Short mmCIF file of all heavy atoms in Angstrom, two decimals:
data_model
loop_
_atom_site.label_atom_id
_atom_site.label_comp_id
_atom_site.label_asym_id
_atom_site.label_seq_id
_atom_site.Cartn_x
_atom_site.Cartn_y
_atom_site.Cartn_z
N SER D 27 -33.99 -46.01 46.37
CA SER D 27 -33.04 -45.01 45.87
C SER D 27 -33.59 -44.28 44.65
O SER D 27 -32.97 -43.35 44.15
CB SER D 27 -31.72 -45.68 45.50
OG SER D 27 -31.88 -46.44 44.32
N GLY D 28 -34.74 -44.70 44.16
CA GLY D 28 -35.34 -43.99 43.03
C GLY D 28 -34.86 -44.48 41.67
O GLY D 28 -35.27 -43.95 40.64
N ARG D 29 -33.97 -45.49 41.66
CA ARG D 29 -33.54 -46.01 40.36
C ARG D 29 -34.68 -46.78 39.70
O ARG D 29 -34.73 -46.92 38.48
CB ARG D 29 -32.32 -46.92 40.53
CG ARG D 29 -31.00 -46.18 40.35
CD ARG D 29 -29.84 -47.08 40.72
NE ARG D 29 -29.83 -47.37 42.16
CZ ARG D 29 -29.12 -48.34 42.73
NH1 ARG D 29 -28.35 -49.11 41.99
NH2 ARG D 29 -29.15 -48.52 44.04
N LEU D 30 -35.60 -47.29 40.51
CA LEU D 30 -36.85 -47.85 40.00
C LEU D 30 -37.96 -46.96 40.55
O LEU D 30 -38.06 -46.77 41.76
CB LEU D 30 -37.05 -49.29 40.48
CG LEU D 30 -36.29 -50.38 39.72
CD1 LEU D 30 -36.49 -51.72 40.41
CD2 LEU D 30 -36.75 -50.46 38.28
N LYS D 31 -38.78 -46.43 39.68
CA LYS D 31 -39.81 -45.49 40.14
C LYS D 31 -41.20 -46.12 40.15
O LYS D 31 -41.46 -47.05 39.39
CB LYS D 31 -39.83 -44.26 39.22
CG LYS D 31 -38.54 -43.46 39.31
CD LYS D 31 -38.66 -42.11 38.65
CE LYS D 31 -37.29 -41.52 38.39
NZ LYS D 31 -36.37 -41.57 39.56
N PRO D 32 -42.09 -45.62 41.03
CA PRO D 32 -43.46 -46.14 41.08
C PRO D 32 -44.09 -46.20 39.70
O PRO D 32 -43.98 -45.25 38.93
CB PRO D 32 -44.19 -45.13 41.97
CG PRO D 32 -43.12 -44.62 42.88
CD PRO D 32 -41.86 -44.58 42.04
N GLY D 33 -44.73 -47.30 39.40
CA GLY D 33 -45.39 -47.47 38.10
C GLY D 33 -44.51 -48.15 37.07
O GLY D 33 -45.01 -48.68 36.09
N GLU D 34 -43.20 -48.12 37.32
CA GLU D 34 -42.27 -48.70 36.36
C GLU D 34 -42.44 -50.23 36.30
O GLU D 34 -42.78 -50.86 37.28
CB GLU D 34 -40.84 -48.35 36.76
CG GLU D 34 -39.82 -48.51 35.63
CD GLU D 34 -38.50 -47.81 35.97
OE1 GLU D 34 -38.53 -46.84 36.77
OE2 GLU D 34 -37.47 -48.23 35.45
N LYS D 35 -42.23 -50.78 35.11
CA LYS D 35 -42.39 -52.23 34.91
C LYS D 35 -41.06 -52.94 35.10
O LYS D 35 -40.03 -52.50 34.57
CB LYS D 35 -42.91 -52.49 33.50
CG LYS D 35 -43.28 -53.93 33.23
CD LYS D 35 -43.81 -54.09 31.81
CE LYS D 35 -44.18 -55.52 31.49
NZ LYS D 35 -43.09 -56.49 31.71
N LEU D 36 -41.08 -54.03 35.87
CA LEU D 36 -39.88 -54.85 36.02
C LEU D 36 -39.82 -55.85 34.86
O LEU D 36 -40.81 -56.08 34.19
CB LEU D 36 -39.92 -55.59 37.35
CG LEU D 36 -39.31 -54.87 38.55
CD1 LEU D 36 -40.06 -53.59 38.87
CD2 LEU D 36 -39.31 -55.78 39.77
N PRO D 37 -38.65 -56.46 34.64
CA PRO D 37 -38.57 -57.48 33.59
C PRO D 37 -39.53 -58.62 33.91
O PRO D 37 -39.84 -58.86 35.07
CB PRO D 37 -37.11 -57.98 33.68
CG PRO D 37 -36.37 -56.94 34.43
CD PRO D 37 -37.36 -56.28 35.34
N SER D 38 -39.99 -59.33 32.88
CA SER D 38 -40.87 -60.47 33.12
C SER D 38 -40.10 -61.56 33.86
O SER D 38 -38.88 -61.59 33.86
CB SER D 38 -41.40 -61.02 31.81
OG SER D 38 -40.43 -61.84 31.20
N ILE D 39 -40.86 -62.43 34.51
CA ILE D 39 -40.25 -63.53 35.26
C ILE D 39 -39.27 -64.30 34.39
O ILE D 39 -38.12 -64.53 34.77
CB ILE D 39 -41.35 -64.48 35.79
CG1 ILE D 39 -42.12 -63.80 36.93
CG2 ILE D 39 -40.75 -65.80 36.25
CD1 ILE D 39 -43.22 -64.66 37.53
N ARG D 40 -39.75 -64.68 33.19
CA ARG D 40 -38.90 -65.50 32.33
C ARG D 40 -37.65 -64.75 31.89
O ARG D 40 -36.55 -65.30 31.83
CB ARG D 40 -39.71 -65.96 31.11
CG ARG D 40 -40.81 -66.96 31.44
CD ARG D 40 -41.87 -66.96 30.35
NE ARG D 40 -42.97 -67.90 30.55
CZ ARG D 40 -44.04 -67.64 31.30
NH1 ARG D 40 -44.14 -66.49 31.95
NH2 ARG D 40 -45.01 -68.53 31.41
N ARG D 41 -37.83 -63.46 31.59
CA ARG D 41 -36.69 -62.68 31.11
C ARG D 41 -35.63 -62.51 32.20
O ARG D 41 -34.43 -62.68 31.96
CB ARG D 41 -37.18 -61.30 30.64
CG ARG D 41 -36.50 -60.83 29.35
CD ARG D 41 -36.89 -59.43 28.95
NE ARG D 41 -35.74 -58.72 28.39
CZ ARG D 41 -34.76 -58.20 29.12
NH1 ARG D 41 -34.79 -58.30 30.44
NH2 ARG D 41 -33.75 -57.58 28.53
N LEU D 42 -36.08 -62.16 33.41
CA LEU D 42 -35.12 -61.96 34.50
C LEU D 42 -34.44 -63.28 34.86
O LEU D 42 -33.24 -63.32 35.17
CB LEU D 42 -35.83 -61.39 35.74
CG LEU D 42 -34.91 -60.98 36.89
CD1 LEU D 42 -33.86 -59.98 36.43
CD2 LEU D 42 -35.70 -60.41 38.06
N ALA D 43 -35.20 -64.38 34.76
CA ALA D 43 -34.62 -65.70 35.05
C ALA D 43 -33.48 -65.99 34.08
O ALA D 43 -32.41 -66.46 34.48
CB ALA D 43 -35.69 -66.78 34.95
N GLU D 44 -33.71 -65.67 32.82
CA GLU D 44 -32.69 -65.89 31.80
C GLU D 44 -31.46 -65.01 32.10
O GLU D 44 -30.34 -65.49 32.13
CB GLU D 44 -33.24 -65.46 30.44
CG GLU D 44 -33.22 -66.53 29.37
CD GLU D 44 -33.81 -65.97 28.09
OE1 GLU D 44 -35.06 -65.97 27.95
OE2 GLU D 44 -33.03 -65.49 27.25
N GLU D 45 -31.74 -63.75 32.36
CA GLU D 45 -30.69 -62.76 32.59
C GLU D 45 -29.81 -63.14 33.78
O GLU D 45 -28.59 -63.05 33.70
CB GLU D 45 -31.35 -61.39 32.82
CG GLU D 45 -30.41 -60.20 32.74
CD GLU D 45 -31.16 -58.90 32.97
OE1 GLU D 45 -32.32 -58.76 32.50
OE2 GLU D 45 -30.60 -58.02 33.65
N LEU D 46 -30.45 -63.59 34.87
CA LEU D 46 -29.69 -63.93 36.08
C LEU D 46 -29.26 -65.39 36.09
O LEU D 46 -28.60 -65.83 37.02
CB LEU D 46 -30.54 -63.63 37.33
CG LEU D 46 -31.04 -62.20 37.49
CD1 LEU D 46 -31.84 -62.06 38.77
CD2 LEU D 46 -29.87 -61.21 37.47
N LYS D 47 -29.68 -66.11 35.08
CA LYS D 47 -29.36 -67.54 34.98
C LYS D 47 -29.84 -68.31 36.20
O LYS D 47 -29.11 -69.13 36.77
CB LYS D 47 -27.86 -67.74 34.76
CG LYS D 47 -27.48 -67.36 33.34
CD LYS D 47 -26.00 -67.33 33.11
CE LYS D 47 -25.69 -66.86 31.69
NZ LYS D 47 -24.74 -65.71 31.64
N ILE D 48 -31.06 -68.03 36.63
CA ILE D 48 -31.67 -68.81 37.69
C ILE D 48 -33.02 -69.30 37.19
O ILE D 48 -33.47 -68.92 36.11
CB ILE D 48 -31.84 -67.99 38.99
CG1 ILE D 48 -32.72 -66.77 38.75
CG2 ILE D 48 -30.50 -67.58 39.54
CD1 ILE D 48 -32.95 -65.94 39.99
N ASN D 49 -33.66 -70.15 38.01
CA ASN D 49 -34.90 -70.79 37.61
C ASN D 49 -36.07 -69.80 37.63
O ASN D 49 -36.20 -69.02 38.57
CB ASN D 49 -35.17 -71.96 38.55
CG ASN D 49 -36.27 -72.85 38.03
OD1 ASN D 49 -37.40 -72.41 37.95
ND2 ASN D 49 -35.93 -74.05 37.66
N PRO D 50 -36.97 -69.84 36.64
CA PRO D 50 -38.13 -68.96 36.64
C PRO D 50 -38.96 -69.06 37.92
O PRO D 50 -39.49 -68.06 38.40
CB PRO D 50 -38.95 -69.44 35.44
CG PRO D 50 -37.97 -70.08 34.53
CD PRO D 50 -36.90 -70.68 35.42
N THR D 51 -39.07 -70.27 38.49
CA THR D 51 -39.83 -70.43 39.72
C THR D 51 -39.21 -69.60 40.84
O THR D 51 -39.93 -69.05 41.68
CB THR D 51 -39.87 -71.91 40.15
OG1 THR D 51 -40.02 -72.72 39.00
CG2 THR D 51 -40.99 -72.14 41.12
N THR D 52 -37.90 -69.52 40.85
CA THR D 52 -37.22 -68.73 41.87
C THR D 52 -37.55 -67.25 41.68
O THR D 52 -37.85 -66.54 42.65
CB THR D 52 -35.69 -68.94 41.80
OG1 THR D 52 -35.42 -70.34 41.91
CG2 THR D 52 -34.98 -68.20 42.90
N VAL D 53 -37.50 -66.78 40.45
CA VAL D 53 -37.87 -65.37 40.20
C VAL D 53 -39.32 -65.13 40.59
O VAL D 53 -39.66 -64.11 41.19
CB VAL D 53 -37.66 -65.00 38.72
CG1 VAL D 53 -38.05 -63.54 38.48
CG2 VAL D 53 -36.22 -65.23 38.31
N SER D 54 -40.17 -66.10 40.29
CA SER D 54 -41.57 -65.98 40.67
C SER D 54 -41.70 -65.78 42.18
O SER D 54 -42.46 -64.93 42.65
CB SER D 54 -42.34 -67.22 40.23
OG SER D 54 -43.66 -67.19 40.71
N ARG D 55 -40.93 -66.59 42.92
CA ARG D 55 -40.98 -66.46 44.39
C ARG D 55 -40.48 -65.08 44.83
O ARG D 55 -41.01 -64.47 45.73
CB ARG D 55 -40.16 -67.58 45.04
CG ARG D 55 -40.53 -67.79 46.48
CD ARG D 55 -39.98 -69.10 47.07
NE ARG D 55 -39.48 -70.01 46.09
CZ ARG D 55 -38.19 -70.30 45.91
NH1 ARG D 55 -37.29 -69.73 46.67
NH2 ARG D 55 -37.81 -71.15 45.00
N ILE D 56 -39.43 -64.60 44.16
CA ILE D 56 -38.90 -63.28 44.47
C ILE D 56 -39.96 -62.21 44.25
O ILE D 56 -40.20 -61.36 45.11
CB ILE D 56 -37.67 -63.00 43.58
CG1 ILE D 56 -36.49 -63.87 44.01
CG2 ILE D 56 -37.29 -61.52 43.60
CD1 ILE D 56 -35.34 -63.91 43.02
N TYR D 57 -40.62 -62.25 43.10
CA TYR D 57 -41.64 -61.24 42.80
C TYR D 57 -42.81 -61.35 43.77
O TYR D 57 -43.37 -60.34 44.21
CB TYR D 57 -42.12 -61.39 41.36
CG TYR D 57 -41.21 -60.73 40.34
CD1 TYR D 57 -39.93 -60.27 40.69
CD2 TYR D 57 -41.61 -60.53 39.02
CE1 TYR D 57 -39.10 -59.67 39.77
CE2 TYR D 57 -40.78 -59.91 38.08
CZ TYR D 57 -39.53 -59.50 38.46
OH TYR D 57 -38.72 -58.89 37.54
N THR D 58 -43.18 -62.60 44.11
CA THR D 58 -44.28 -62.79 45.06
C THR D 58 -43.92 -62.18 46.41
O THR D 58 -44.74 -61.51 47.04
CB THR D 58 -44.58 -64.30 45.22
OG1 THR D 58 -44.91 -64.84 43.95
CG2 THR D 58 -45.74 -64.52 46.18
N GLN D 59 -42.69 -62.41 46.85
CA GLN D 59 -42.27 -61.85 48.13
C GLN D 59 -42.29 -60.33 48.10
O GLN D 59 -42.76 -59.68 49.04
CB GLN D 59 -40.86 -62.37 48.47
CG GLN D 59 -40.41 -61.95 49.86
CD GLN D 59 -39.03 -62.51 50.22
OE1 GLN D 59 -38.60 -63.53 49.68
NE2 GLN D 59 -38.34 -61.83 51.13
#
Side-chain angles (χ1 to χ4, degrees):
Chain D
S27 72
R29 267 172 293 165
L30 280 174
K31 294 192 197 312
E34 198 165 335
K35 187 179 180 305
L36 270 63
S38 80
I39 288 180
R40 291 158 179 84
R41 221 185 142 282
L42 187 56
E44 237 179 276
E45 194 179 322
L46 302 181
K47 286 171 183 126
I48 59 179
N49 193 294
T51 320
T52 304
V53 180
S54 174
R55 199 167 347 110
I56 289 167
Y57 278 12
T58 302
Q59 186 178 335

